[in-house]
Amino acid sequence: MFPALETELKQQTLPDPYEDFMYHHLQYYGYFKAERGSLPNSATHQHVWKNNPRYLLSGSFGETADLIPDPLQKEKRLWPTCLSSTVHRQIEAVNRDSLMLSSPLLKSRQLLHDDLGEVNARPREPRDLFAFFSSSEPLQAPRWPIECEVIKENIHHIEWVPPQPEYFYQPTGNEKLPEIVGEEKGTVVYQLDSVPSEDSYFTSSRVGGKRGIIKELAVTLQGPEDNTLLFESRFESGNLQKAVRVNTYEYELTLRTDLYTNKHTQWFYFRVQNTRKDVTYRFTIVNLLKPKSLYTIGMKPLMYSQLDASTHSIGWRREGDEIRYYRNNTDDGQQPFYCLTWTIQFPHDQDTCFFAHFYPYTYTDLQCFLLSVANSPVQSQFCKLRTLCRSLAGNTIYLLTITNPARTPQEAAAKKAVVLTARVHPGESNGSWIMKGFLDFILSNSPDAQLLRDIFIFKVVPMLNPDGVIVGNYRCSLAGRDLNRHYKTILKESFPCIWHTRNMIKRLLEEREVLLYCDFHGHSRKNNIFLYGCNNNDRKFWLHERVFPLMLSKNAPDKFSFHSCNFKVQKCKEGTGRVVMWRMGILNSYTMESTFGGSTLGNKRDTHFTPEDLKSLGYHVCDTLLDFCDPDRTKFMQCLAELKELLQQEIHKKFNELGQDMDLEGSWSDISLSDIESSTSGSDSSLSDGLPVHLLNTADELNGRDKGTSLGPSKMTTLILTKNKERMQREKPGFTVSCSPKRNTNPSQEPAPDTKPNWSRNRYPATKGGRTTAVVYPSLHIYTYP
């Protein structure tokens, strides 16, 4: 290959650079298992390594796939087999200190460079690792921290729409408040071994988690007459820590905190077996941390019966009676705990049932959906699936690019971008259901979906925090931190999904306008669905960022509440996705908050949301995008006029509260919107915990070495904004929209009749069916932001 290099290598006693690179690289991602000495000793012998079957695994959930890396044992595996052999041919990078790099004969193009052009010591990941799995190959099994025990069962739930609305629970005033007695007076019937707390931090992962035999944590039944419930939560998204039997049919439950933390108990998901019919059970969760909850205003827990699912096709349903949310009577001297108690009657004897805070949507659910897209000969033509990056545990974070092929380079350049993300908070599975609805519609053959794919390039990250979803966290990643407070981070290795998402959007902004960014979340204290946005201080485009939410409220009047929206940028939210993307130049930058409960609006008033309700919101996002970009700007201007009227009323209200008079005919628009709006009343976990202790020194070193990589008013952000402004000034507004009539002709792609868009025609004379048709290519007839 390189004779001079081979001669030089033979004269050295240093280890082979390719061996060093492959060992460290694959060790990081957990793909390779072999003793160092068994590796080929030369880069010229790659074919020996890549064709040796003893290094290949099936990637299935079988026994061999469960034995993944322990760094102390210095062994790794190649996993899964869906990595093609071209992966190994393209691995050419080496570390900066290796002999190969110092050789003048070779120059690698795989090494990372910083902004100053200096070589970073860590090679970039080979390109084929970023390719999506083949439709003919197995799904990638979820990777767990090595401390976590995982049962070998594949948990699956059917989707089902309740035939009748599920109304909120109406308190009677006679609900019992059980006194917490604990294991001293009760019997522990289920308890996880010690799990990672705030005193430890994530080190490594493997498929199936902890090695060895899975322990039987539930009690052993003494015979057929023993009616003790058998609990389990060691499956994807489960998080029950302990169950104590305090009476014949009464149990106290302790939730596991987010891994590597001592808090964030809100999400719950667990299984019970050995049920008895026609008796009343009571469950009390004893260690919730939020002082306020939707359970105080009628929200019910979810229950799932496997017998009902298999015999009657009945899925998750709202169940429970005597529901109370109250402060725990025990005090550990540090923080108060809160309890959720409810009673239930199981529908069958000897059934297997599940309870959950909200409809689960796991990492495996996402992968199955993406595999169906990859298998579709139609959808795969306009939806390209790639890997954005790997999570801390090595799970794949997927990036979808959705757009119709452009007919000309000019048409491709004219397309704006829309960026949508979900599940940065793993316990907020409602975000995944909205994302599912969006993807179902945008990938359909509906004329509206085809038009949107003509107009836009959609960049979608459907699950930002797969590690947290897999282990059953409510809010954090395996770094033990809330990722939605770290979008400014420079710690690429500690917050990879956030760093790569921000970087992807940064590159996108350099080439085209990003019209809208929206991150899908869940909300634990307010009903309905609403948006949090940012205030535009440029009076020329004042209130424009509120137009999209107002339009969405008109398209989904029984689910979306504009009055619950808020556009105040609080200091504690500066690290969130919506604020960081707004400061990068995306003026329509939002967090969509969906309740865990239900609606207080219209026909759905006082009823719980189902997955179908949330999926319909995904459709309404698409519907509202078309209204927002309608070449007839009547709706846009009517919304602006309505917003100004609403704001005037709000200002009058504020001044009346202060006992002051003000003439609003003149300078009312000079009043700061931040002074008018209250806070967003967002999460109780708004404040960032800062960095984990073991990362503080790393952050200080990176900050000292390259301050320009952080966001804020950096040179990079300024450069992006400048480029955007120059590009938008060059664009000519004369393009005609190539629109089919917007109304969808496929009824299966539309929501139910009571959820169809409900624009007031006397206020919005430009109806949806009257959009212009023309023959060139799409361009957006909306205000161009500076």
Side-chain angles (χ1 to χ4, degrees):
M1 184 172 71
F2 296 102
L5 177 61
E6 290 181 2
T7 302
E8 184 179 358
L9 289 173
K10 291 177 181 178
Q11 296 173 352
Q12 303 294 328
T13 59
L14 296 175
D16 179 72
Y18 181 79
E19 177 186 343
D20 272 0
F21 162 67
M22 286 303 302
Y23 176 76
H24 288 101
H25 178 79
L26 295 177
Q27 180 186 49
Y28 176 78
Y29 288 103
Y31 295 130
F32 188 70
K33 177 184 178 181
E35 297 298 332
R36 288 181 63 99
S38 68
L39 284 171
N41 60 5
S42 171
T44 63
H45 297 148
Q46 295 180 41
H47 64 281
V48 176
W49 173 78
K50 73 182 181 184
N51 292 324
N52 192 332
R54 70 192 181 99
Y55 298 132
L56 300 180
L57 294 179
S58 66
S60 69
F61 289 85
E63 278 298 311
T64 56
D66 295 327
L67 304 178
I68 297 278
D70 186 340
L72 299 178
Q73 298 175 356
K74 295 187 176 180
E75 54 181 18
K76 298 293 164 191
R77 305 196 157 173
L78 183 65
W79 181 89
T81 54
C82 57
L83 296 177
S84 66
S85 60
T86 55
V87 173
H88 316 309
R89 291 197 298 268
Q90 293 187 2
I91 301 180
E92 301 171 351
V94 292
N95 291 322
R96 175 168 53 179
D97 298 328
S98 73
L99 177 62
M100 188 175 288
L101 182 62
S102 63
S103 170
L105 301 176
L106 293 179
K107 182 179 180 181
S108 171
R109 291 185 296 177
Q110 294 244 22
L111 291 179
L112 296 177
H113 295 255
D114 61 24
D115 292 340
L116 301 178
E118 297 178 357
V119 177
N120 188 312
R122 201 174 66 78
R124 72 174 79 234
E125 188 173 6
R127 286 187 179 180
D128 272 20
L129 290 182
F130 284 79
F132 190 67
F133 51 77
S134 167
S135 59
S136 62
E137 289 158 347
L139 296 174
Q140 299 182 21
R143 296 179 61 83
W144 297 69
I146 58 173
E147 303 95 334
C148 296
E149 285 191 346
V150 186
I151 62 173
K152 306 302 180 188
E153 297 180 42
N154 185 17
I155 306 298
H156 173 71
H157 303 299
I158 64 170
E159 288 190 40
W160 175 73
V161 180
Q164 300 296 328
E166 297 181 302
Y167 285 93
F168 293 161
Y169 174 71
Q170 298 298 321
T172 63
N174 298 319
E175 288 80 8
K176 177 182 175 182
L177 269 64
E179 181 180 355
I180 308 306
V181 300
E183 58 187 272
E184 292 80 8
K185 299 181 181 179
T187 303
V188 176
V189 295
Y190 177 83
Q191 184 167 8
L192 290 181
D193 291 340
S194 59
V195 294
S197 66
E198 63 174 341
D199 298 325
S200 58
Y201 56 89
F202 173 77
T203 56
S204 57
S205 68
R206 59 171 65 96
V207 175
K210 195 173 186 177
R211 281 184 179 164
I213 299 174
I214 299 299
K215 298 178 182 178
E216 185 58 57
L217 298 186
V219 296
T220 302
L221 297 179
Q222 301 304 308
E225 300 302 318
D226 190 342
N227 57 8
T228 304
L229 288 179
L230 303 178
F231 290 82
E232 185 56 83
S233 68
R234 292 171 295 173
F235 47 79
E236 262 194 278
S237 298
N239 72 336
L240 182 66
Q241 174 74 33
K242 181 169 64 174
V244 178
R245 190 183 192 187
V246 296
N247 211 327
T248 305
Y249 300 110
E250 188 169 349
Y251 295 85
E252 292 178 1
L253 310 177
T254 301
L255 302 182
R256 195 212 69 219
T257 60
D258 282 9
L259 294 191
Y260 313 108
T261 79
N262 66 347
K263 53 185 176 180
H264 305 303
T265 50
Q266 183 72 26
W267 166 262
F268 61 87
Y269 179 31
F270 59 90
R271 183 182 77 187
V272 295
Q273 293 176 307
N274 196 38
T275 62
R276 296 293 188 270
K277 184 182 178 182
D278 297 330
V279 296
T280 300
Y281 290 82
R282 177 178 291 277
F283 297 100
T284 304
I285 298 174
V286 301
N287 67 328
L288 298 167
L289 288 173
K290 292 193 174 185
K292 296 180 181 179
S293 171
L294 286 165
Y295 290 109
T296 63
I297 53 175
M299 179 173 157
K300 293 182 178 181
L302 282 161
M303 189 197 77
Y304 183 96
S305 162
Q306 279 195 352
L307 284 176
D308 277 346
S310 60
T311 58
H312 305 295
S313 297
I314 296 174
W316 288 100
R317 56 191 191 252
R318 300 282 180 173
E319 293 287 354
D321 202 359
E322 297 187 49
I323 301 170
R324 287 293 298 269
Y325 191 92
Y326 59 101
R327 182 163 176 165
N328 194 328
N329 57 9
T330 61
D331 188 1
D332 64 354
Q334 296 180 350
Q335 54 187 351
F337 288 117
Y338 296 85
C339 297
L340 168 65
T341 187
W342 73 95
T343 60
I344 194 80
Q345 289 191 345
F346 292 110
H348 305 285
D349 287 326
Q350 302 298 331
D351 196 3
T352 295
C353 294
F354 295 81
F355 289 96
H357 182 55
F358 201 73
Y359 303 92
Y361 191 94
T362 65
Y363 183 58
T364 298
D365 291 333
L366 172 67
Q367 288 192 304
C368 290
F369 172 78
L370 295 182
L371 187 60
S372 70
V373 175
N375 280 329
S376 169
V378 176
Q379 293 177 339
S380 60
Q381 295 302 307
F382 50 77
C383 177
K384 302 303 179 184
L385 297 94
R386 294 292 182 265
T387 296
L388 178 69
C389 62
R390 307 281 176 181
S391 67
L392 283 181
N395 292 300
T396 301
I397 297 169
Y398 297 105
L399 171 66
L400 285 63
T401 301
I402 304 170
T403 191
N404 283 340
R407 289 166 286 184
T408 65
Q410 293 83 3
E411 180 180 347
K415 289 190 177 186
K416 315 303 185 200
V418 171
V419 180
L420 302 176
T421 61
R423 293 304 283 279
V424 69
H425 293 151
E428 296 172 2
S429 58
N430 22 17
S432 281
W433 289 108
I434 295 177
M435 179 64 77
K436 177 71 162 53
F438 165 79
L439 291 173
D440 284 343
F441 182 78
I442 201 65
L443 297 176
S444 72
N445 60 358
S446 160
D448 288 358
Q450 294 177 26
L451 175 58
L452 283 167
R453 297 195 301 265
D454 285 337
I455 296 175
F456 293 110
I457 295 175
F458 293 92
K459 293 285 186 179
V460 179
V461 185
M463 191 170 285
L464 280 163
N465 189 354
D467 293 351
V469 173
I470 289 167
V471 302
N473 280 3
Y474 173 58
R475 197 165 185 86
C476 297
S477 73
L478 295 184
R481 293 297 182 267
D482 180 350
L483 294 181
N484 200 37
R485 299 296 181 270
H486 289 278
Y487 271 88
K488 294 183 179 181
T489 186
I490 59 175
L491 296 177
K492 179 180 178 181
E493 302 298 331
S494 301
F495 306 102
C497 64
I498 296 302
W499 192 94
H500 282 278
T501 299
R502 187 190 73 204
N503 214 42
M504 177 268 292
I505 296 173
K506 186 185 295 185
R507 293 196 305 269
L508 192 62
L509 280 166
E510 291 173 346
E511 68 177 39
R512 65 185 70 246
E513 179 185 351
V514 177
L515 177 72
L516 181 138
Y517 163 88
C518 190
D519 188 22
F520 298 152
H521 284 246
H523 205 283
S524 65
R525 292 181 293 139
K526 293 169 68 175
N527 278 310
N528 304 312
I529 301 172
F530 45 93
L531 289 175
Y532 291 148
C534 305
N535 276 324
N536 185 0
N537 294 324
D538 187 341
R539 296 295 168 176
K540 184 178 180 182
F541 304 107
W542 202 43
L543 301 178
H544 285 197
E545 70 284 340
R546 304 178 185 221
V547 172
F548 184 86
L550 184 59
M551 285 183 169
L552 186 53
S553 72
K554 297 179 183 298
N555 284 334
D558 55 355
K559 304 181 189 73
F560 190 92
S561 169
F562 179 76
H563 292 289
S564 295
C565 296
N566 199 291
F567 303 88
K568 186 181 181 70
V569 178
Q570 299 167 274
K571 187 175 181 180
C572 64
K573 302 295 180 70
E574 286 287 338
T576 61
R578 70 172 164 102
V579 176
V580 169
M581 301 312 162
W582 176 61
R583 297 203 185 282
M584 286 171 61
I586 305 174
L587 279 89
N588 294 298
S589 182
Y590 305 107
T591 297
M592 179 175 285
E593 296 281 358
S594 169
T595 182
F596 288 103
S599 174
T600 62
L601 306 169
N603 295 332
K604 291 192 172 295
R605 184 180 181 88
D606 297 332
T607 64
H608 290 89
F609 281 149
T610 67
E612 287 302 311
D613 290 323
L614 298 183
K615 287 195 286 186
S616 75
L617 246 292
Y619 159 80
H620 288 305
V621 168
C622 297
D623 199 39
T624 305
L625 268 173
L626 286 176
D627 287 325
F628 192 66
C629 303
D630 197 325
D632 183 342
R633 296 206 303 269
T634 303
K635 292 177 184 177
F636 192 98
M637 300 308 296
Q638 288 284 356
C639 283
L640 274 181
E642 185 173 338
L643 287 166
K644 290 178 180 178
E645 182 178 340
L646 289 172
L647 186 63
Q648 282 183 321
Q649 294 174 4
E650 195 67 26
I651 294 173
H652 273 296
K653 181 180 177 182
K654 288 288 183 182
F655 276 91
N656 287 337
E657 290 173 356
L658 296 174
Q660 299 178 11
D661 295 325
M662 181 177 181
D663 178 14
L664 298 182
E665 297 298 324
S667 59
W668 68 274
S669 62
D670 294 331
I671 299 174
S672 171
L673 297 180
S674 297
D675 294 336
I676 301 169
E677 284 194 306
S678 60
S679 68
T680 59
S681 298
S683 162
D684 291 339
S685 309
S686 295
L687 295 177
S688 172
D689 293 329
L691 294 174
V693 174
H694 67 285
L695 297 178
L696 292 177
N697 291 337
T698 304
D700 291 340
E701 291 173 6
L702 289 173
N703 274 315
R705 188 172 67 200
D706 188 6
K707 296 181 180 179
T709 56
S710 61
L711 290 181
S714 67
K715 293 182 180 180
M716 182 63 72
T717 306
T718 304
L719 178 62
I720 293 171
L721 292 174
T722 303
K723 287 183 178 180
N724 284 341
K725 186 173 182 179
E726 292 173 352
R727 185 187 68 254
M728 287 183 278
Q729 287 175 345
R730 291 195 303 267
E731 290 178 353
K732 297 181 179 180
F735 298 139
T736 310
V737 178
S738 177
C739 297
S740 303
K742 177 176 180 291
R743 195 70 279 127
N744 192 344
T745 58
N746 184 356
S748 66
Q749 299 295 339
E750 293 188 3
D754 63 334
T755 64
K756 288 184 180 179
N758 186 26
W759 287 86
S760 175
R761 296 203 176 198
N762 60 339
R763 293 184 62 84
Y764 300 90
T767 60
K768 294 182 179 180
R771 288 200 173 88
T772 308
T773 56
V775 294
V776 197
Y777 52 88
S779 171
L780 299 182
H781 294 252
I782 59 171
Y783 288 103
T784 300
Y785 300 113

Tab-separated table of all heavy atoms in Angstrom, residues 733-765:
chain	number	residue	atom	x	y	z
A	733	PRO	N	-39.656	38.085	-4.617
A	733	PRO	CA	-40.962	37.629	-4.146
A	733	PRO	C	-41.941	37.264	-5.246
A	733	PRO	O	-43.085	37.004	-4.983
A	733	PRO	CB	-41.471	38.835	-3.351
A	733	PRO	CG	-40.885	40.012	-4.084
A	733	PRO	CD	-39.524	39.555	-4.560
A	734	GLY	N	-41.518	37.249	-6.488
A	734	GLY	CA	-42.468	37.085	-7.573
A	734	GLY	C	-42.833	35.674	-7.926
A	734	GLY	O	-43.570	35.445	-8.878
A	735	PHE	N	-42.350	34.659	-7.205
A	735	PHE	CA	-42.673	33.285	-7.552
A	735	PHE	C	-44.134	33.004	-7.244
A	735	PHE	O	-44.678	33.464	-6.268
A	735	PHE	CB	-41.787	32.314	-6.772
A	735	PHE	CG	-40.332	32.471	-7.085
A	735	PHE	CD1	-39.391	32.402	-6.071
A	735	PHE	CD2	-39.901	32.692	-8.372
A	735	PHE	CE1	-38.053	32.534	-6.352
A	735	PHE	CE2	-38.573	32.829	-8.657
A	735	PHE	CZ	-37.639	32.760	-7.652
A	736	THR	N	-44.742	32.191	-8.084
A	736	THR	CA	-46.136	31.823	-7.878
A	736	THR	C	-46.201	30.470	-7.208
A	736	THR	O	-45.437	29.580	-7.527
A	736	THR	CB	-46.860	31.760	-9.246
A	736	THR	OG1	-46.589	32.960	-9.952
A	736	THR	CG2	-48.360	31.582	-9.045
A	737	VAL	N	-47.128	30.309	-6.321
A	737	VAL	CA	-47.227	29.064	-5.577
A	737	VAL	C	-47.858	27.981	-6.440
A	737	VAL	O	-48.895	28.182	-7.040
A	737	VAL	CB	-48.052	29.258	-4.302
A	737	VAL	CG1	-48.204	27.958	-3.544
A	737	VAL	CG2	-47.395	30.306	-3.436
A	738	SER	N	-47.197	26.826	-6.477
A	738	SER	CA	-47.746	25.687	-7.196
A	738	SER	C	-48.608	24.894	-6.231
A	738	SER	O	-48.172	23.941	-5.611
A	738	SER	CB	-46.605	24.817	-7.728
A	738	SER	OG	-47.123	23.679	-8.366
A	739	CYS	N	-49.855	25.320	-6.096
A	739	CYS	CA	-50.723	24.746	-5.077
A	739	CYS	C	-51.867	23.999	-5.717
A	739	CYS	O	-52.530	24.511	-6.614
A	739	CYS	CB	-51.310	25.840	-4.182
A	739	CYS	SG	-50.112	26.757	-3.228
A	740	SER	N	-52.092	22.800	-5.210
A	740	SER	CA	-53.371	22.165	-5.457
A	740	SER	C	-54.352	22.754	-4.457
A	740	SER	O	-53.938	23.318	-3.456
A	740	SER	CB	-53.251	20.658	-5.257
A	740	SER	OG	-52.241	20.142	-6.099
A	741	PRO	N	-55.645	22.629	-4.704
A	741	PRO	CA	-56.576	23.095	-3.679
A	741	PRO	C	-56.278	22.400	-2.367
A	741	PRO	O	-56.032	21.207	-2.321
A	741	PRO	CB	-57.950	22.682	-4.248
A	741	PRO	CG	-57.729	22.600	-5.722
A	741	PRO	CD	-56.317	22.143	-5.902
A	742	LYS	N	-56.317	23.145	-1.280
A	742	LYS	CA	-55.810	22.643	-0.010
A	742	LYS	C	-56.702	21.581	0.608
A	742	LYS	O	-56.220	20.718	1.323
A	742	LYS	CB	-55.622	23.802	0.960
A	742	LYS	CG	-55.171	23.345	2.335
A	742	LYS	CD	-54.916	24.508	3.190
A	742	LYS	CE	-54.470	24.065	4.571
A	742	LYS	NZ	-55.537	23.441	5.300
A	743	ARG	N	-57.979	21.619	0.314
A	743	ARG	CA	-58.848	20.697	0.999
A	743	ARG	C	-58.511	19.273	0.627
A	743	ARG	O	-58.431	18.924	-0.536
A	743	ARG	CB	-60.314	20.998	0.680
A	743	ARG	CG	-61.280	20.332	1.595
A	743	ARG	CD	-61.319	20.874	3.010
A	743	ARG	NE	-60.271	20.361	3.861
A	743	ARG	CZ	-59.471	21.156	4.533
A	743	ARG	NH1	-59.575	22.458	4.464
A	743	ARG	NH2	-58.544	20.661	5.308
A	744	ASN	N	-58.335	18.426	1.602
A	744	ASN	CA	-57.919	17.046	1.398
A	744	ASN	C	-59.086	16.227	0.881
A	744	ASN	O	-60.187	16.280	1.413
A	744	ASN	CB	-57.439	16.490	2.748
A	744	ASN	CG	-56.735	15.175	2.593
A	744	ASN	OD1	-56.847	14.528	1.574
A	744	ASN	ND2	-56.005	14.806	3.638
A	745	THR	N	-58.853	15.446	-0.165
A	745	THR	CA	-59.911	14.616	-0.726
A	745	THR	C	-59.942	13.224	-0.124
A	745	THR	O	-60.818	12.435	-0.434
A	745	THR	CB	-59.732	14.499	-2.248
A	745	THR	OG1	-58.426	13.948	-2.512
A	745	THR	CG2	-59.848	15.860	-2.905
A	746	ASN	N	-58.970	12.890	0.691
A	746	ASN	CA	-58.918	11.562	1.316
A	746	ASN	C	-59.443	11.662	2.747
A	746	ASN	O	-58.750	12.135	3.624
A	746	ASN	CB	-57.481	11.043	1.312
A	746	ASN	CG	-57.389	9.630	1.863
A	746	ASN	OD1	-58.396	9.071	2.313
A	746	ASN	ND2	-56.200	9.062	1.830
A	747	PRO	N	-60.668	11.231	3.003
A	747	PRO	CA	-61.235	11.423	4.349
A	747	PRO	C	-60.471	10.693	5.427
A	747	PRO	O	-60.530	11.069	6.583
A	747	PRO	CB	-62.667	10.876	4.206
A	747	PRO	CG	-62.612	9.958	3.024
A	747	PRO	CD	-61.577	10.522	2.100
A	748	SER	N	-59.751	9.641	5.066
A	748	SER	CA	-59.008	8.906	6.090
A	748	SER	C	-57.847	9.698	6.637
A	748	SER	O	-57.307	9.383	7.682
A	748	SER	CB	-58.473	7.586	5.507
A	748	SER	OG	-57.501	7.841	4.512
A	749	GLN	N	-57.434	10.750	5.929
A	749	GLN	CA	-56.317	11.556	6.383
A	749	GLN	C	-56.771	12.780	7.164
A	749	GLN	O	-55.957	13.593	7.555
A	749	GLN	CB	-55.467	12.007	5.183
A	749	GLN	CG	-54.862	10.867	4.392
A	749	GLN	CD	-53.863	10.091	5.208
A	749	GLN	OE1	-53.344	10.599	6.200
A	749	GLN	NE2	-53.575	8.868	4.816
A	750	GLU	N	-58.086	12.963	7.318
A	750	GLU	CA	-58.582	14.126	8.029
A	750	GLU	C	-59.036	13.722	9.427
A	750	GLU	O	-59.375	12.569	9.686
A	750	GLU	CB	-59.754	14.748	7.261
A	750	GLU	CG	-59.325	15.355	5.933
A	750	GLU	CD	-60.446	16.131	5.291
A	750	GLU	OE1	-61.515	16.229	5.909
A	750	GLU	OE2	-60.254	16.654	4.196
A	751	PRO	N	-59.070	14.677	10.351
A	751	PRO	CA	-59.568	14.371	11.687
A	751	PRO	C	-61.073	14.164	11.674
A	751	PRO	O	-61.730	14.380	10.666
A	751	PRO	CB	-59.177	15.612	12.491
A	751	PRO	CG	-59.134	16.697	11.469
A	751	PRO	CD	-58.649	16.057	10.201
A	752	ALA	N	-61.595	13.744	12.792
A	752	ALA	CA	-63.034	13.548	12.911
A	752	ALA	C	-63.760	14.864	12.655
A	752	ALA	O	-63.195	15.945	12.810
A	752	ALA	CB	-63.357	13.021	14.302
A	753	PRO	N	-65.031	14.808	12.249
A	753	PRO	CA	-65.757	16.036	11.891
A	753	PRO	C	-65.738	17.115	12.953
A	753	PRO	O	-65.643	18.294	12.647
A	753	PRO	CB	-67.193	15.518	11.640
A	753	PRO	CG	-67.015	14.084	11.259
A	753	PRO	CD	-65.835	13.598	12.036
A	754	ASP	N	-65.781	16.731	14.230
A	754	ASP	CA	-65.835	17.759	15.274
A	754	ASP	C	-64.478	18.389	15.534
A	754	ASP	O	-64.365	19.304	16.323
A	754	ASP	CB	-66.388	17.176	16.572
A	754	ASP	CG	-65.499	16.078	17.130
A	754	ASP	OD1	-64.787	15.457	16.332
A	754	ASP	OD2	-65.529	15.874	18.355
A	755	THR	N	-63.423	17.870	14.858
A	755	THR	CA	-62.103	18.463	15.060
A	755	THR	C	-61.601	19.171	13.817
A	755	THR	O	-60.467	19.606	13.771
A	755	THR	CB	-61.079	17.385	15.452
A	755	THR	OG1	-60.939	16.463	14.366
A	755	THR	CG2	-61.511	16.644	16.701
A	756	LYS	N	-62.437	19.282	12.778
A	756	LYS	CA	-61.992	19.952	11.557
A	756	LYS	C	-61.784	21.441	11.808
A	756	LYS	O	-62.401	22.040	12.684
A	756	LYS	CB	-63.016	19.744	10.444
A	756	LYS	CG	-63.020	18.310	9.897
A	756	LYS	CD	-63.985	18.185	8.741
A	756	LYS	CE	-63.992	16.766	8.202
A	756	LYS	NZ	-64.940	16.615	7.101
A	757	PRO	N	-60.908	22.059	11.021
A	757	PRO	CA	-60.664	23.490	11.194
A	757	PRO	C	-61.956	24.289	11.168
A	757	PRO	O	-62.860	24.008	10.397
A	757	PRO	CB	-59.768	23.828	10.008
A	757	PRO	CG	-59.075	22.538	9.704
A	757	PRO	CD	-60.062	21.459	10.007
A	758	ASN	N	-62.031	25.301	12.007
A	758	ASN	CA	-63.282	26.021	12.202
A	758	ASN	C	-63.028	27.515	12.119
A	758	ASN	O	-63.258	28.239	13.064
A	758	ASN	CB	-63.884	25.642	13.562
A	758	ASN	CG	-65.265	26.249	13.747
A	758	ASN	OD1	-65.962	26.517	12.784
A	758	ASN	ND2	-65.642	26.456	15.002
A	759	TRP	N	-62.484	27.973	10.970
A	759	TRP	CA	-62.265	29.407	10.782
A	759	TRP	C	-63.610	30.103	10.648
A	759	TRP	O	-64.522	29.625	10.002
A	759	TRP	CB	-61.464	29.661	9.517
A	759	TRP	CG	-60.044	29.280	9.634
A	759	TRP	CD1	-59.497	28.059	9.421
A	759	TRP	CD2	-58.960	30.133	9.989
A	759	TRP	NE1	-58.156	28.090	9.623
A	759	TRP	CE2	-57.791	29.348	9.971
A	759	TRP	CE3	-58.851	31.477	10.336
A	759	TRP	CZ2	-56.540	29.863	10.273
A	759	TRP	CZ3	-57.616	31.990	10.633
A	759	TRP	CH2	-56.480	31.196	10.603
A	760	SER	N	-63.701	31.265	11.290
A	760	SER	CA	-64.907	32.083	11.168
A	760	SER	C	-64.882	32.788	9.818
A	760	SER	O	-64.033	33.633	9.558
A	760	SER	CB	-64.950	33.124	12.300
A	760	SER	OG	-66.039	33.977	12.123
A	761	ARG	N	-65.800	32.436	8.929
A	761	ARG	CA	-65.703	32.917	7.552
A	761	ARG	C	-65.953	34.415	7.432
A	761	ARG	O	-65.416	35.059	6.555
A	761	ARG	CB	-66.695	32.154	6.668
A	761	ARG	CG	-66.351	30.669	6.589
A	761	ARG	CD	-66.920	30.050	5.346
A	761	ARG	NE	-66.498	28.663	5.240
A	761	ARG	CZ	-66.541	27.983	4.111
A	761	ARG	NH1	-66.972	28.548	3.021
A	761	ARG	NH2	-66.160	26.732	4.080
A	762	ASN	N	-66.782	34.976	8.316
A	762	ASN	CA	-67.005	36.413	8.192
A	762	ASN	C	-65.772	37.205	8.602
A	762	ASN	O	-65.547	38.301	8.138
A	762	ASN	CB	-68.217	36.829	9.031
A	762	ASN	CG	-68.020	36.506	10.503
A	762	ASN	OD1	-67.199	35.664	10.850
A	762	ASN	ND2	-68.796	37.171	11.343
A	763	ARG	N	-64.908	36.604	9.462
A	763	ARG	CA	-63.680	37.286	9.860
A	763	ARG	C	-62.532	36.906	8.953
A	763	ARG	O	-61.557	37.624	8.842
A	763	ARG	CB	-63.318	36.936	11.305
A	763	ARG	CG	-64.286	37.480	12.334
A	763	ARG	CD	-63.820	37.177	13.732
A	763	ARG	NE	-62.532	37.821	14.014
A	763	ARG	CZ	-62.406	39.081	14.425
A	763	ARG	NH1	-63.474	39.836	14.605
A	763	ARG	NH2	-61.220	39.579	14.682
A	764	TYR	N	-62.634	35.726	8.304
A	764	TYR	CA	-61.553	35.225	7.455
A	764	TYR	C	-62.133	34.814	6.110
A	764	TYR	O	-62.415	33.659	5.851
A	764	TYR	CB	-60.853	34.019	8.115
A	764	TYR	CG	-60.262	34.381	9.431
A	764	TYR	CD1	-61.001	34.253	10.607
A	764	TYR	CD2	-58.968	34.890	9.507
A	764	TYR	CE1	-60.452	34.609	11.818
A	764	TYR	CE2	-58.427	35.251	10.727
A	764	TYR	CZ	-59.167	35.102	11.871
A	764	TYR	OH	-58.625	35.448	13.076
A	765	PRO	N	-62.368	35.808	5.240
A	765	PRO	CA	-63.067	35.523	3.992
A	765	PRO	C	-62.300	34.601	3.053
A	765	PRO	O	-62.894	33.977	2.204
A	765	PRO	CB	-63.244	36.919	3.369
A	765	PRO	CG	-62.171	37.742	4.007
A	765	PRO	CD	-61.990	37.207	5.386
